[in-house]
Amino acid sequence: MYVKRERSPSLPPPRSEAGVVGWLRANLFSSWPNALMTLAGLALLLYSLPPFLKWAVIDANWLGDSREGCLPPLGDAAGACWVFIKVRLGLLMYGFYPEAERWRIDLAGILLAAAGGQLVAGSLLRAATGRGRRLTGLFPLAGVLLSLALFGILPGLVACAYLAAPDILARARPGRLLLGLAHRPQLHLAARLGLAAGAGAALALGFGAAGQGLAVALSLLAASLIFIALGAYGQSAASVRFSLLLGVYPVICYALLLGGGLDLPLVDTDNWGGLFLTLVIAGVGIATSLPVGILLALGRRSRMPVIKALSVSFIEFIRGVPLISVLFMASVMLPLTLPAGMHVNKLLRALVGVSLFYSAYMAEVVRGGLQAIPRGQYEAAEALGLRYWRVMRLVILPQALRLVIPGITNTFLGLLKDTTLVAVINLMDILGILKSALADTRWLGFTKEAYVFAGVVFWVICFGLSRYSMLLEKRLKPGRN
Amino acid sequence: MTDPARARLPQRSLLTDPVVRAVIIQIAVFALVAGVLAFAAVNTAENLKRAGIASGFGFFNQVAGFDVSQSLVEYSRASTYGRVFLVGLLNTLLVSSVSIVVATVLGFAVGLLRLSGNWLVSRMAAVYVEILRNVPLLLQILFWYIAILNPLPGPRQAMSLFDTIFLCNRGLIIPWPVFLPGSWLVLVAFLLALAGGAGLVLWARRRQRLTGKRFPAYVSSLGLIILLPLVALAAAGFPIRWDLPELSGFNFAGGLTLQPEFTALVLALSLYTAAFIAENVRAGIEAVDKGQIEAAHSLGLRPAPTMRLVVVPQALRVIIPPLTSQHLTLVKNSSLAVVIGYPDLVSVFAGTTLNQTGQAVEIIAITMLVYLTISLAISLFMNWYNARVAILER
Amino acid sequence: MAIPDDPIIRIRHVNKWYGQFHVLKDINLTVGRGERVVICGPSGSGKSTLIRCVNRLETHQKGTISVDGIELTDDLKRIDRVRREVGMLFQNFNLFPHLTVMENCILAPVWVRRMPLLEARELAMQYLTRVRIPDQADKYPGQLSGGQQQRVAIARCLCMSPKIMLFDEPTSALDPEMIKEVLDVMVDLAGSGMTMVCVTHEMGFAREVADRVIFMDGGEILEENTPEAFFSAPQSERARLFLGQILSHAQMGARTNPD
């Protein structure tokens, strides 16, 4: 028999296990092959990194605004010529959007950054205290102040209205009134739809009579605003913000960026370009391919043979061919399929191609999520008396989509990177601009700078997004409060 | 005591009968899709008639009249569009298969390094993956082609590696074997060695079954396969020689010239795809439960057999499906060749041929069909493989 | 502290750290040939870590462990020798899912002991019969119940004819009705004179089979006694508390499961 009466204290580990030496031994030099690998790695680093840094930073030329800034008397020919990029930064960001009108893109960007930033910060600080929540309020505040300072009173007011709307609507009366009148959800929805459509139609007629080019956009804006406003009461401000971002922001952007009325000169999409165009295509692409993808995924799992067959053949067809052939089809064949005299804008064609292509990939991602939901969830939801669409919308899809966040992000990153392919059908995205810039006889030979710059831009966006999605995935793990 | 509301519930109604509903919905959707397609077809026919383009596949026999920079089969300006199609298809298959091999080897290497216990090496592998997969492939193709390969000096100032491999603006020039008469002896020796190696492995297995004694069959048959052809080579008086590239005048003579377009495309496709394959490999190996390794160790298995008998078979089941789909994606991505003028299927057929003939519908349909066929073949292989290796569960 | 006449495992002043965390504090333990030792204690007490050090699945940083006269160091030959003589059972079985039951059993005899395949098969069949599942030999682990899987794992160990068997909570991932079928096999094994070190909470098993019970908490051995003495009169406060919890849980289990 043995009994120990006193407890022994915890001791620190022996010296060789801890500290820098211990770490080096364990991680870099634990064995002979390991040490060799370390040395090989170091050699590769020393061989590649210093020359690159010397070219890109140390010997690089930043000053001046002409080619001379990069040549011997003024600059160093051995270094990168970032002047080349600096001179064209505007083109690379905005394309041929008139310089006087570029503030419209900036305003759209600020609105997105403020509303989106608040949502993103909110999603990461979900469990945060009141202080964290107040911090997220800094985004809209900064957005409004920035718009006021940069663009003047009117744009500032628009920004203020848009950014403050969620908090106001979430507490506003009209929604509550309607809820009281029609407390059955179906009636409520019908009333919202009806009122919104009515207002939209009335406005369209009124504006149309006034001959405004923006008529459709503004009527749409009013209709979606009314629809969201009437349903907003009792919702959280974040969810209203999300609906506004999906339903109202695109219409604002459409009106603001295209213009053609309200003192906003028309800027044809032929002049859109640069990173701005890339983001437009990526934004429209994700906003259409996700919902269409969800429908296709549901269709593929449907018990109705016709629906299933149609969905499967669409998905498999699209996934079997390269995007470039779909883009060719959209740019060459789509005009052929329309009645004579009907034209489709080049950008719209690219958008249709990209969205259709990626909706097939989204469908497969979503299907993976749907398959991962256990049968019991469907059964439990049906046992509660929910019909098909309710089961999907309220029980299955929220879980399934949460499961496939990594897949959705990957697909979106693929989409973002593949927007570069529109350069092949002659749209002026960042690569298109670079191509024309490299053909400029005054600036021949700065190809490395051009592609390294574009690469860095894409890398920052894609890497940032993938890290955000990893964070979000961690936050949303089921079973976490 | 019946509740009046309940009594009013119909026994059966057209509107609430699920079967009727399903039929109505399906008819409606089908009609909509068919309608849109019919509308498009009618318009297309009309538009083509107006443009004076005769539909059909007659253009396959017309003379193409343009040059193609690289071809695996005989081709000239006088060849037909049908020949152009073949040239493009073969070029697509060539660039895809070379890139698939390089990407897979590199991807496995990077994926394994990523898992290595060596901090520096695993970080470097991670950096490789994160940089390469977050930059658009098209950009990478253009970078290699326009920014790296095009500005290279001409053949006279070519960069060289031991004076055997040269890199210049004409492309990558590598040594290539030439087969003189007598080469068949080496081939026969190689085949004999293969057969011998297989026999050795079978014999070693049989002996192991019966006596438990082991023989290093794989290593010795590898030695056989290398040595025997070498012996034959020497015996026959070296009928196979390396044709080394050599500068003559303004260009290289001898060796094999890989055009800059081809080189850039292979580089970009394989470096980009390798980043994704590396992630698949890493995920596959990490998917094997640590307990499996512990169990194997506790049974007395050493690290190498543990890897071969326990970890790899399980990891491969996880790795192969995404790996195949990466290969499939690579084949589809090879169509980006069009931006640097590598004469692949999309470039010479859906590009030049389409522009010259205007047969948009036929050409795009055929192009898509080719890619669909390749995808379908790879998917069928995948399904067969998955069914074969599926781990049985209750 | 009891020192058996013919020791097969000697653990002397063993200390182990995970990073800064001191998991094993000056452990001393000797197990005799043919002895059956049960280690119990609350979770996180270091008991699993301790037995995993015995076949070097974990490395200790201070002190010595020797098994059948071989001291464990970094040397691969020594580790090989020890692992050949020591079988281990895991909480979640760790059968190889891509191999059939038979292939699981013959893997180590063929690759480690260099046994002819046919002989290995015969041996495996013999042990599968002993654990009462000879008819499942060609199935895959995924097709078996948890209890059956754990019995296959026992047969897989026995095929190596180990001198010592380590059990790392072999029944805690099992449903109650399957625990018995595994414990029966373990009791049978104990009857055959196998040296056994079991980390388990099955107090019935400990009473019936163990020669000694070891109680661990916070990375150290607090108490060591015969099962009778330990269960009837635990000496330390911590052990009393632990036994109280285990027993009340067992009673609750007994109430809900009438058999």
Side-chain angles (χ1 to χ4, degrees):
Chain A
M1 190 183 100
Y2 163 86
V3 181
K4 191 169 187 182
R5 294 289 172 193
E6 301 121 58
R7 309 297 294 262
S8 354
S10 284
L11 302 170
R15 178 72 61 81
S16 67
E17 295 295 321
V20 178
V21 178
W23 185 89
L24 279 177
R25 246 184 60 123
N27 292 299
L28 294 178
F29 299 99
S30 61
S31 63
W32 267 111
N34 211 339
L36 276 181
M37 283 214 305
T38 305
L39 292 180
L42 274 178
L44 187 63
L45 270 187
L46 284 179
Y47 176 76
S48 58
L49 210 53
F52 177 75
L53 284 180
K54 196 158 148 33
W55 173 79
V57 183
I58 299 168
D59 289 347
N61 304 292
W62 310 84
L63 300 174
D65 44 15
S66 70
R67 192 194 171 101
E68 280 66 51
C70 301
L71 292 176
L74 290 170
D76 189 344
C81 178
W82 296 123
V83 180
F84 172 66
I85 300 297
K86 197 174 81 177
V87 171
R88 281 180 175 69
L89 201 58
L91 270 181
L92 287 169
M93 293 293 119
Y94 302 98
F96 298 106
Y97 212 87
E99 234 163 291
E101 304 298 327
R102 283 181 186 167
W103 65 270
R104 284 149 63 175
I105 298 176
D106 294 338
L107 178 61
I110 287 176
L111 287 186
L112 181 67
Q118 191 175 16
L119 274 172
V120 166
S123 70
L124 294 183
L125 293 169
R126 223 154 57 103
T129 50
R131 196 161 146 225
R133 219 157 272 180
R134 243 172 286 138
L135 272 179
T136 66
L138 287 178
F139 280 96
L141 189 65
V144 171
L145 291 179
L146 216 57
S147 317
L148 269 174
L150 290 176
F151 317 120
I153 302 287
L154 213 57
L157 282 180
V158 171
C160 187
Y162 174 75
L163 292 174
D167 292 285
I168 298 170
L169 288 178
R171 298 187 183 82
R173 288 263 152 196
R176 189 181 178 188
L177 204 68
L178 193 76
L179 210 61
L181 283 177
H183 49 142
R184 281 184 60 189
Q186 284 94 336
L187 276 183
H188 188 221
L189 190 68
R192 278 166 72 191
L193 266 177
L195 277 175
L203 270 174
L205 281 177
F207 277 129
Q212 288 276 16
L214 284 174
V216 182
L218 289 179
S219 320
L220 251 175
L221 183 66
S224 55
L225 202 58
I226 289 174
F227 183 76
I228 291 169
L230 291 178
Y233 183 75
Q235 303 268 338
S236 75
S239 84
V240 179
R241 194 167 297 123
F242 194 65
S243 338
L244 282 180
L245 203 57
L246 284 185
V248 173
Y249 180 74
V251 193
I252 294 184
C253 279
Y254 178 78
L256 188 65
L257 297 175
L258 199 62
L262 292 178
D263 286 339
L264 295 175
L266 178 77
V267 182
D268 198 73
T269 52
D270 286 346
N271 292 327
W272 294 20
L275 185 64
F276 158 59
L277 183 70
T278 299
L279 294 180
V280 166
I281 297 172
V284 174
I286 182 80
T288 48
S289 66
L290 187 56
V292 176
I294 291 175
L295 287 181
L296 282 170
L298 292 177
R300 189 167 190 165
R301 286 172 60 81
S302 162
R303 268 176 244 140
M304 301 183 209
V306 174
I307 309 264
K308 183 169 179 162
L310 285 175
S311 310
V312 170
S313 31
F314 177 81
I315 294 172
E316 291 307 327
F317 170 71
I318 292 285
R319 277 163 31 95
V321 299
L323 173 57
I324 216 167
S325 66
V326 175
L327 284 177
F328 272 156
M329 192 165 83
S331 75
V332 182
M333 270 171 68
L334 190 65
L336 275 181
T337 61
L338 295 173
M342 204 171 142
H343 287 290
V344 186
N345 176 300
K346 199 158 74 177
L347 174 61
L348 193 60
R349 281 184 244 162
L351 286 176
V352 169
V354 170
S355 303
L356 282 184
F357 187 79
Y358 270 96
S359 57
Y361 283 82
M362 278 299 181
E364 284 303 275
V365 170
V366 174
R367 183 170 73 118
L370 290 176
Q371 275 171 343
I373 305 295
R375 266 224 66 71
Q377 291 288 319
Y378 292 87
E379 285 163 1
E382 276 170 13
L384 286 173
L386 296 174
R387 288 243 187 107
Y388 178 82
W389 286 107
R390 293 261 158 90
V391 173
M392 289 303 161
R393 191 166 62 85
L394 300 172
V395 180
I396 305 301
L397 280 175
Q399 297 185 61
L401 291 181
R402 182 171 298 188
L403 277 180
V404 294
I405 287 179
I408 292 178
T409 319
N410 279 341
T411 313
F412 179 54
L413 289 178
L415 192 161
L416 193 64
K417 286 183 285 172
D418 275 351
T419 55
T420 48
L421 263 66
V422 299
V424 178
I425 54 170
N426 293 326
L427 281 171
M428 278 296 178
D429 81 323
I430 211 167
L431 287 190
I433 302 265
L434 280 178
K435 199 167 125 196
S436 69
L438 289 172
D440 183 344
T441 45
R442 282 171 304 161
W443 290 92
L444 285 179
F446 295 114
T447 48
K448 278 196 198 89
E449 287 83 348
Y451 292 116
V452 167
F453 171 77
V456 168
V457 169
F458 274 102
W459 186 83
V460 167
I461 300 177
C462 294
F463 185 73
L465 274 175
S466 72
R467 287 293 129 143
Y468 169 62
S469 103
M470 278 163 74
L471 267 177
L472 194 64
E473 195 192 335
K474 259 190 212 155
R475 290 279 143 149
L476 292 179
K477 276 252 167 72
R480 230 192 97 100
N481 325 329
Chain B
M1 284 283 122
T2 36
D3 179 352
R6 213 175 289 168
R8 260 189 273 120
L9 277 178
Q11 280 292 316
R12 234 196 132 116
S13 143
L14 277 185
L15 273 178
T16 49
D17 181 342
V19 178
V20 178
R21 267 178 171 234
V23 169
I24 293 176
I25 292 174
Q26 293 185 69
I27 289 177
V29 170
F30 186 75
L32 187 71
V33 172
V36 169
L37 288 182
F39 177 74
V42 169
N43 283 327
T44 309
E46 232 166 69
N47 285 331
L48 287 177
K49 208 161 81 190
R50 197 171 319 109
I53 298 170
S55 54
F57 296 94
F59 69 96
F60 261 84
N61 295 323
Q62 292 167 18
V63 171
F66 60 86
D67 279 322
V68 170
S69 58
Q70 177 190 324
S71 171
L72 289 177
V73 290
E74 208 175 304
Y75 177 86
S76 73
R77 267 167 177 279
S79 300
T80 59
Y81 286 122
R83 197 73 177 172
V84 171
F85 171 76
L86 184 67
V87 167
L89 180 61
L90 289 177
N91 280 341
T92 290
L93 293 178
L94 175 71
V95 79
S96 307
S97 39
V98 172
S99 308
I100 281 177
V101 172
V102 180
T104 309
V105 172
L106 188 64
F108 268 83
V110 174
L112 293 175
L113 289 179
R114 182 94 172 71
L115 287 172
S116 122
N118 188 310
W119 182 87
L120 180 74
V121 170
S122 106
R123 283 306 147 100
M124 282 172 68
V127 168
Y128 171 86
V129 169
E130 290 300 349
I131 290 183
L132 268 288
R133 69 171 180 175
N134 281 319
V135 174
L137 174 62
L138 182 63
L139 193 60
Q140 296 190 32
I141 293 176
L142 290 173
F143 174 77
W144 289 114
Y145 183 63
I146 297 181
I148 300 294
L149 294 179
N150 261 359
L152 285 176
R156 301 185 134 229
Q157 289 89 37
M159 295 155 61
S160 81
L161 192 67
F162 307 124
D163 271 339
T164 48
I165 298 173
F166 295 92
L167 190 63
C168 65
N169 62 4
R170 301 286 169 96
L172 186 68
I173 299 116
I174 55 171
W176 197 248
V178 268
F179 299 92
L180 303 173
S183 309
W184 61 271
L185 209 65
V186 182
L187 183 74
V188 167
F190 177 68
L191 290 178
L192 274 179
L194 271 187
L200 204 61
V201 168
L202 287 180
W203 170 79
R205 267 196 204 151
R206 196 180 140 73
R207 191 169 90 128
Q208 203 280 332
R209 275 171 77 100
L210 296 175
T211 66
K213 285 188 191 133
R214 219 164 297 142
F215 182 77
Y218 285 100
V219 176
S220 22
S221 48
L222 189 70
L224 192 67
I225 290 169
I226 294 173
L227 278 182
L228 201 58
L230 280 182
V231 171
L233 194 65
F238 298 97
I240 301 179
R241 300 219 171 119
W242 287 108
D243 182 16
L244 295 176
E246 224 173 298
L247 192 67
S248 75
F250 292 100
N251 206 347
F252 282 97
L256 181 76
T257 304
L258 303 174
Q259 293 184 343
E261 292 83 17
F262 179 82
T263 315
L265 202 59
V266 168
L267 263 176
L269 280 174
S270 39
L271 291 179
Y272 180 75
T273 312
F276 289 88
I277 292 179
E279 281 301 275
N280 293 337
V281 169
R282 177 171 80 110
I285 292 179
E286 278 180 346
V288 179
D289 185 26
K290 255 188 80 187
Q292 294 286 314
I293 299 167
E294 288 181 348
H297 284 172
S298 77
L299 286 170
L301 287 170
R302 285 208 165 179
T306 300
M307 210 56 191
R308 193 172 75 241
L309 299 169
V310 176
V311 179
V312 170
Q314 293 186 55
L316 274 187
R317 286 179 161 79
V318 184
I319 295 172
I320 297 280
L323 181 68
T324 333
S325 88
Q326 285 305 336
H327 290 166
L328 188 52
T329 311
L330 189 150
V331 174
K332 286 184 280 170
N333 278 339
S334 73
S335 61
L336 291 178
V338 67
V339 295
I340 55 170
Y342 173 76
D344 82 320
L345 183 66
V346 170
S347 173
V348 292
F349 191 64
T352 320
T353 305
L354 193 154
N355 284 339
Q356 291 195 0
T357 61
Q359 308 271 10
V361 181
E362 294 86 349
I363 287 179
I364 290 185
I366 291 174
T367 311
M368 286 183 154
L369 207 66
V370 167
Y371 284 103
L372 270 180
T373 313
I374 299 175
S375 306
L376 205 67
I378 295 184
S379 309
L380 283 179
F381 163 77
M382 272 274 308
N383 289 345
W384 170 81
Y385 175 84
N386 279 341
R388 211 179 71 95
V389 304
I391 288 178
L392 290 176
E393 307 240 350
R394 290 216 283 180
Chain C
M1 198 182 260
I3 296 187
D5 324 323
D6 184 12
I8 190 164
I9 304 176
R10 284 173 206 261
I11 300 174
R12 288 269 167 277
H13 303 295
V14 161
N15 280 278
K16 177 172 174 59
W17 288 264
Y18 284 131
Q20 293 293 314
F21 179 59
H22 201 171
V23 261
L24 294 180
K25 299 174 185 164
D26 194 38
I27 301 287
N28 288 290
L29 178 66
T30 309
V31 178
R33 205 173 289 276
E35 201 186 3
R36 296 167 297 259
V37 175
V38 163
I39 305 179
C40 61
S43 62
S45 57
K47 50 196 193 309
S48 284
T49 310
L50 177 61
I51 66 164
R52 286 159 60 89
C53 283
V54 172
N55 65 350
R56 198 78 174 176
L57 288 182
E58 308 271 359
T59 52
H60 57 282
Q61 282 117 10
K62 268 186 170 176
T64 59
I65 299 178
S66 63
V67 178
D68 203 15
I70 302 166
E71 192 190 326
L72 277 168
T73 64
D74 280 335
D75 187 72
L76 281 175
K77 276 249 164 64
R78 285 168 184 259
I79 298 175
D80 270 357
R81 285 281 297 278
V82 166
R83 283 181 178 164
R84 271 183 215 188
E85 308 306 336
V86 179
M88 183 172 213
L89 235 60
F90 298 87
Q91 183 176 347
N92 44 7
F93 332 132
N94 287 339
L95 291 179
F96 306 129
H98 61 299
L99 302 177
T100 61
V101 164
M102 176 54 81
E103 288 165 342
N104 261 284
C105 290
I106 62 175
L107 185 78
V110 166
W111 287 95
V112 180
R113 287 241 189 268
R114 320 225 148 175
M115 194 181 277
L117 193 70
L118 300 176
E119 203 178 303
R121 284 217 174 124
E122 264 167 42
L123 186 75
M125 213 52 204
Q126 193 183 320
Y127 284 118
L128 285 173
T129 313
R130 184 159 163 201
V131 299
R132 289 169 229 138
I133 35 173
D135 45 334
Q136 313 281 10
D138 292 322
K139 289 198 176 166
Y140 284 89
Q143 296 170 295
L144 305 182
S145 75
Q148 288 172 324
Q149 289 193 43
Q150 195 62 298
R151 284 186 281 152
V152 172
I154 295 178
R156 180 171 76 174
C157 282
L158 292 178
C159 284
M160 287 292 285
S161 329
K163 293 184 181 150
I164 305 166
M165 292 264 286
L166 306 173
F167 296 80
D168 189 358
E169 307 201 26
T171 55
S172 47
L174 294 176
D175 293 338
E177 67 267 31
M178 292 173 188
I179 292 180
K180 193 175 170 304
E181 62 186 54
V182 173
L183 287 182
D184 284 349
V185 173
M186 285 168 64
V187 171
D188 174 46
L189 207 57
S192 72
M194 174 74 72
T195 311
M196 294 164 76
V197 182
C198 312
V199 170
T200 181
H201 291 162
E202 294 299 331
M203 294 305 142
F205 172 78
R207 260 181 218 272
E208 188 180 339
V209 167
D211 298 317
R212 251 191 305 164
V213 175
I214 298 201
F215 177 74
M216 283 183 74
D217 184 39
E220 51 189 336
I221 295 177
L222 287 191
E223 204 169 326
E224 192 185 317
N225 216 331
T226 60
E228 299 79 36
F230 179 73
F231 290 120
S232 53
Q235 299 294 309
S236 65
E237 185 54 37
R238 192 69 192 82
R240 262 195 294 275
L241 195 68
F242 173 72
L243 280 178
Q245 281 164 352
I246 292 274
L247 290 178
S248 74
H249 175 75
Q251 274 163 11
M252 264 167 53
R255 223 175 293 145
T256 45
N257 285 344
D259 55 331

